[in-house]
Amino acid sequence: MANTVVTISKEVRIERMKIKYLNTKFVADFLWRIVRLVIIAGISFMILYPFIIKGFNAVKTIDDFTDPTVRFISRNPTLDNIKVCIQKLRFQVAGVNSLELALLTSVLQVAVCTLIGYGFGRFKFRGRNIVFGAVIFTLLVPPQTIMIPMFMQFRFFSLFGFGGINVLDSFTPFIILSATGLGLKNGLYIYMMRQFFRGMPKELEEAAYIDGSGLFKTFLTIMVPAAVPMLITIFLFSFSWQWTDIFYSALFFNKLPVLTRTIADVASITQQDPIMFANLRNTASMLVIIPLMLVYIGAQRFFIQGIERSGIVG
Amino acid sequence: MQKMNRFGHLDLKEKHNLMGSLFVLPFVIGFVFIFLPAIYQSFIYSVNELTLNADGYTMTSVGFTNYIKAFMIDPYFKIILWESLTRMSTDIPVILIFSFFMANLLNQKFVGRTAARTLFFLPVILSTGLIASVEAGNMVMDIYRSGSTFNNGMSSELMQIFDLEDMLLESRFSPQLVDIVLSSVYGLYDIVISSGVQMLVFLAGLQSISPSVFESAYVEGATKWEIFWKITLPMISPLILVNAIYTVVESFTRPSYGILEFIKEQAFRNSQYGYASALSWIYFVITGLILLVVGAILSKAVFYNE
């Protein structure tokens, strides 16, 4: 029967198509898809829009900025804003400093929080719940509450009564805080790592113990590699936090230039002219954000992956 | 005392657990030597009057006057506090509902899903670490807020581009109505920006529900509505608790509610360190109370698997 041609009458074809496309399920589905598309597109626009605007605004001159007929494309695109900002921000110096600081603190925080999270996740020592409560406590307390005492502590830093030295204006306060798991939002990271390690099968470690590996060695060789997506996630959080931190940077640094502080310098050349100030601040903040965005884009595949496997769910 | 076996030593398990406490040692050290003293100091400050001089500071005990001042004398504190709290109380449920809805949405399969997810989590990354400094102005927050704080004196770029306000006014809608519409538009903007982390958590949770649960439900003839209320929601409820607590904590420390600004101003502009300490303690206690209440209420509603 290979060569018979079956002709379907027109009426039958229309009927079939009606059944296929005109039922409630298909229509509802289709409508939902459109709604969803609109929502996603709308929100994506909302999110992207500020950045696009920043980009366009950065190349506008003062006249363009105030010119009501200029929306996006400036009449005389100029790189002057960017040049001025790079100079005023002391981009080279402050940029390098910010980078160093952010890298240093993030790596420290990742390492320390993983250690601590492992301790909570795998070992049932006495007082475990109390200490974990303390971790959550550090998360809860708004930094403003302890802002002044912290300042004082590092201004007259002493170890067991020896010292009284001023360790401000250096990376030291940050290093100390990060190394003890007290950095910004570290409680969250510790909690995340704890949940993660809880979710790992015990057999992995037990196999290692049987083979004679010590506690710490097992931790390094088995648990840590398994946690890499999580580590990258925490690193990203921590890095971006440190990069954009204004609070602690303003608190601990006076002379040391980091990008978040030199932004304040940008104001100094504008001499109270609010429009110019707005224009320059715009460009300055864009310049500071760009490195962060690059880091994010580079790491985001690990990031999304990491969260979805984080075992926050347990 | 650690449980000892009959030989007087710790048995293996106890030893194992004891080693575990070594892992958390850094935190304990930091907490005991840095954090706790800071908290203690802060409380001391709040019941003192602090004067900073050239090589240190002097304190004079004033008891609880700072606290009394906060409530009885200072005209601004109560107002700002109340305003911030009411705004938070509307924002928090909306953030939770919105992020849950979006997480559901992002969980479905559609073209460009990965791109959408990347995009949506951008605000999370970029809006970490934003505590407004009064002078320098927020950095990343600037970028976002400049599109939303239309009542703040800062020019709102979104508004400029769309001339929404002008358009609405010219169409002869009453100004009050325009106001309401605009504030909901910008409110929505705010919500979107601040729901990032919650969305992440919900998404992770949704993905962890094994599809077989849904399949068996379908086989048993459950409708989508039923599935949502009887399966998805209960299984997600632990995360709702987590997210609720996180949102409460986060919005209390968010600078866009003027209260934190106010406290900071008291400290650095008016040099009233003791007063600022007292204020932040009051704020902290309120945060703790609300957290306890929210936590207690929600915990009752959480369904724990086994």
Side-chain angles (χ1 to χ4, degrees):
Chain A
M1 302 190 38
N3 289 325
T4 19
V5 173
V6 178
T7 39
I8 309 180
S9 70
K10 195 154 167 224
E11 296 80 13
V12 175
R13 252 197 309 205
I14 295 186
E15 271 310 307
R16 286 194 187 167
M17 278 185 52
K18 269 202 211 156
I19 295 180
K20 190 169 173 203
Y21 293 116
L22 236 50
N23 61 12
T24 338
K25 182 164 189 308
F26 187 80
V27 171
D29 214 28
F30 184 67
L31 280 179
W32 168 243
R33 282 181 181 213
I34 297 195
V35 169
R36 181 173 62 190
L37 190 67
V38 168
I39 295 183
I40 300 266
I43 298 189
S44 310
F45 178 70
M46 261 181 169
I47 295 182
L48 275 183
Y49 179 77
F51 297 102
I52 305 181
I53 277 289
K54 286 282 177 194
F56 278 120
N57 278 349
V59 291
K60 287 187 187 166
T61 61
I62 292 289
D63 302 321
D64 286 333
F65 207 61
T66 47
D67 188 343
T69 63
V70 174
R71 291 294 203 184
F72 293 109
I73 321 249
S74 59
R75 287 184 201 273
N76 316 303
T78 166
L79 290 179
D80 278 346
N81 286 337
I82 303 187
K83 286 196 209 138
V84 167
C85 280
I86 291 191
Q87 193 204 21
K88 255 308 168 173
L89 281 179
R90 293 195 273 167
F91 206 70
Q92 287 91 335
V93 179
V96 168
N97 275 336
S98 288
L99 188 65
E100 265 179 25
L101 183 63
L103 269 180
L104 199 57
T105 50
S106 320
V107 170
L108 259 180
Q109 284 179 4
V110 168
V112 169
C113 291
T114 312
L115 265 176
I116 301 178
Y118 184 63
F120 280 122
R122 271 299 190 236
F123 303 91
K124 296 194 191 18
F125 49 91
R126 273 190 330 150
R128 174 171 85 150
N129 285 332
I130 302 181
V131 182
F132 189 65
V135 173
I136 301 292
F137 184 62
T138 57
L139 207 51
L140 284 183
V141 172
Q144 280 78 357
T145 314
I146 47 174
M147 150 175 92
I148 303 156
M150 283 279 205
F151 178 80
M152 292 298 184
Q153 275 199 332
F154 288 117
R155 173 84 179 72
F156 306 104
F157 189 64
S158 65
L159 220 44
F160 299 116
F162 300 109
I165 48 173
N166 183 352
V167 293
L168 296 176
D169 250 344
S170 68
F171 286 174
T172 317
F174 286 101
I175 296 185
I176 296 182
L177 285 180
S178 306
T180 51
L182 286 177
L184 223 29
K185 285 279 187 283
N186 276 12
L188 185 65
Y189 309 149
I190 296 181
Y191 185 55
M192 278 166 66
M193 289 320 286
R194 175 179 110 137
Q195 293 299 98
F196 176 79
F197 285 127
R198 254 172 148 188
M200 294 239 87
K202 282 207 156 150
E203 288 73 31
L204 285 175
E205 290 153 297
E206 283 170 5
Y209 293 150
I210 291 184
D211 283 343
S213 161
L215 269 186
F216 197 68
K217 191 152 169 240
T218 315
F219 172 66
L220 277 183
T221 50
I222 299 194
M223 296 312 260
V224 169
V228 163
M230 280 302 291
L231 298 183
I232 300 199
T233 309
I234 297 186
F235 175 79
L236 207 55
F237 267 128
S238 177
F239 186 86
S240 52
W241 196 284
Q242 192 57 54
W243 184 266
T244 54
D245 161 58
I246 298 189
F247 183 75
Y248 280 115
S249 302
L251 193 60
F252 292 140
F253 291 148
N254 201 358
K255 303 239 182 45
L256 190 74
V258 277
L259 283 181
T260 46
R261 300 236 66 216
T262 53
I263 272 203
D265 292 345
V266 173
S268 62
I269 65 169
T270 57
Q271 264 112 18
Q272 309 296 324
D273 180 359
I275 306 225
M276 186 171 179
F277 176 51
N279 194 10
L280 281 179
R281 190 173 64 173
N282 194 315
T283 318
S285 46
M286 185 189 79
L287 282 178
V288 177
I289 291 294
I290 286 188
L292 187 59
M293 292 252 308
L294 292 176
V295 171
Y296 173 69
I297 294 181
Q300 59 93 2
R301 349 179 232 137
F302 300 107
F303 171 65
I304 303 236
Q305 212 184 340
I307 285 295
E308 290 170 359
R309 282 211 239 129
S310 80
I312 287 189
V313 189
Chain B
M1 263 283 85
Q2 240 79 346
K3 243 186 8 209
M4 302 223 175
N5 62 20
R6 60 173 173 271
F7 295 106
H9 296 296
L10 301 173
D11 65 7
L12 189 62
K13 184 130 179 273
E14 297 298 322
K15 234 198 238 173
H16 183 79
N17 287 335
L18 196 61
M19 293 302 234
S21 51
L22 278 183
F23 276 101
V24 291
L25 198 60
F27 176 77
V28 176
I29 294 181
F31 188 75
V32 166
F33 285 107
I34 299 184
F35 199 76
L36 225 39
I39 295 272
Y40 176 67
Q41 280 290 346
S42 167
F43 187 67
I44 297 290
Y45 287 162
S46 70
V47 290
N48 278 311
E49 198 46 58
L50 207 62
T51 35
L52 224 54
N53 52 32
D55 43 44
Y57 49 93
T58 49
M59 294 205 288
T60 43
S61 178
V62 289
F64 283 96
T65 35
N66 277 328
Y67 291 95
I68 299 181
K69 179 176 173 190
F71 284 117
M72 302 295 181
I73 305 183
D74 188 343
Y76 299 116
F77 181 59
K78 274 186 297 191
I79 301 179
I80 299 189
L81 185 66
W82 183 247
E83 193 200 323
S84 305
L85 283 180
T86 36
R87 276 170 63 195
M88 277 183 224
S89 60
T90 42
D91 282 350
I92 294 178
V94 175
I95 291 184
L96 286 175
I97 297 179
F98 176 75
S99 52
F100 187 58
F101 172 69
M102 289 310 297
N104 267 306
L105 196 122
L106 286 176
N107 202 24
Q108 301 175 349
K109 295 192 190 9
F110 56 90
V111 174
R113 177 167 76 161
T114 350
R117 284 184 186 173
T118 320
L119 217 54
F120 278 47
F121 302 142
L122 200 62
V124 177
I125 284 297
L126 294 181
S127 61
T128 53
L130 304 172
I131 314 267
S133 125
V134 183
E135 265 75 54
N138 254 317
M139 245 198 349
V140 180
M141 214 53 145
D142 239 357
I143 303 186
Y144 286 115
R145 299 290 165 183
S146 65
S148 83
T149 52
F150 71 114
N151 55 356
N152 210 352
M154 281 200 301
S155 72
S156 156
E157 290 154 6
L158 258 186
M159 192 162 77
Q160 279 173 350
I161 297 300
F162 292 120
D163 292 327
L164 193 60
E165 187 181 14
D166 295 338
M167 200 171 68
L168 284 179
L169 281 176
E170 294 216 2
S171 354
R172 305 274 187 265
F173 286 118
S174 73
Q176 290 87 355
L177 185 62
V178 174
D179 214 27
I180 296 181
V181 169
L182 276 181
S183 47
S184 13
V185 169
Y186 292 119
L188 176 67
Y189 193 67
D190 256 351
I191 302 285
V192 170
I193 297 306
S194 13
S195 325
V197 175
Q198 290 83 338
M199 256 196 265
L200 239 77
V201 174
F202 275 137
L203 187 60
L206 284 175
Q207 296 199 326
S208 77
I209 306 182
S210 73
S212 47
V213 175
F214 290 118
E215 277 167 20
S216 39
Y218 272 125
V219 165
E220 305 279 345
T223 63
K224 276 205 173 158
W225 189 247
E226 278 175 349
I227 291 187
F228 178 75
W229 285 105
K230 296 211 159 60
I231 299 188
T232 321
L233 211 49
M235 295 205 79
I236 276 262
S237 53
L239 289 184
I240 299 186
L241 176 63
V242 169
N243 262 340
I245 297 204
Y246 176 75
T247 314
V248 170
V249 172
E250 198 227 350
S251 41
F252 269 92
T253 50
R254 206 148 28 117
S256 64
Y257 302 115
I259 179 93
L260 289 181
E261 283 292 312
F262 182 72
I263 297 183
K264 217 158 156 222
E265 241 178 71
Q266 296 301 310
F268 286 128
R269 278 239 178 105
N270 307 353
S271 286
Q272 305 222 30
Y273 299 105
Y275 186 50
S277 274
L279 286 182
S280 38
W281 267 95
I282 296 178
Y283 190 60
F284 168 59
V285 168
I286 295 184
T287 313
L289 281 176
I290 296 196
L291 211 60
L292 274 178
V293 168
V294 169
I297 295 182
L298 280 184
S299 296
K300 291 286 186 303
V302 167
F303 163 77
Y304 282 112
N305 221 349
E306 66 268 353

